[in-house]
Amino acid sequence: SAVISQKPSRDICQRGTSLTIQCQVDSQVTMMFWYRQQPGQSLTLIATANQGSEATYESGFVIDKFPISRPNLTFSTLTVSNMSPEDSSIYLCSVINTGSGEKLFFGSGTQLSVL
Amino acid sequence: EDKVVQSPLSLVVHEGDTVTLNCSYEVTNFRSLLWYKQEKKAPTFLFMLTSSGIEKKSGRLSSILDKKELFSILNITATQTGDSAIYLCAVESGGSNYKLTFGKGTLLTVNP
């Protein structure tokens, strides 16, 4: 199974600032996904990040607010820009490993609180 | 729009009890149903189900899928305090693009 390191683990930020979350995988993967989980809510897909192309954003999420980089097959970043308290959530990166029975692996998550 | 509904949303039991968690879904082009356990931030994988009527089992946990009635259940027998977590159901659907829709989860609390 893939090992996914995500950092920071948690952060408390002021509104109007930006935070970049990093996701490192121990093997090369084609597709990486970024999810958000607001308090008491389901996991919601923000975007799919493929190496060498622009990320594909889901309805309700835009690149200006959540810019994503995918410079190679093992690394990706998600930036939460111009933060407001509504951005307080758990952010999770994930990858698919089709080589095992487990389809989707998750990183350790980033707990973001915006004051 | 794809939809995954879990029930109950929360559940409090005593150690040793048996619990059943429910997941119903409405999706286009169903491919598989997955169960995850979320204790802190990162969900960890429990089961993947693709065929109706075949029980998946791991220790005290088991799960089964009914593709005709569009639901799955997750059973936990002889619950322990370590089973306290959010249990998430997710359904993989779609054609060539990977798509996973999550339910809101069931918060299980097991008291000693």
Side-chain angles (χ1 to χ4, degrees), chain A residues 9 37 42 102-104 107 109, chain B residues 36 38 41-42 45 92 102-103:
Chain A
S9 174
Q37 187 179 30
S42 174
E102 180 171 353
K103 282 289 193 82
L104 197 67
Chain B
Y36 288 86
Q38 185 179 27
K41 290 177 292 185
F45 172 80
E92 183 189 1
F102 282 85

Side-chain angles (χ1 to χ4, degrees), chain A residues 6-67:
Chain A
Q6 188 174 334
K7 58 182 182 181
S9 174
R10 61 180 61 242
D11 208 341
I12 301 172
C13 301
Q14 297 296 322
R15 70 169 67 213
T17 62
S18 297
L19 175 73
T20 295
I21 302 168
Q22 299 180 5
C23 183
Q24 178 77 53
V25 189
D26 68 343
S27 58
Q28 294 185 338
V29 293
T30 303
M31 299 169 74
M32 293 180 75
F33 305 90
W34 287 97
Y35 284 87
R36 179 176 76 179
Q37 187 179 30
Q38 293 176 302
Q41 298 299 312
S42 174
L43 271 71
T44 303
L45 181 64
I46 298 172
T48 303
N50 296 318
Q51 193 267 338
S53 63
E54 275 199 12
T56 303
Y57 289 82
E58 297 298 306
S59 175
F61 298 96
V62 295
I63 188 170
D64 289 346
K65 175 67 176 176
F66 298 100

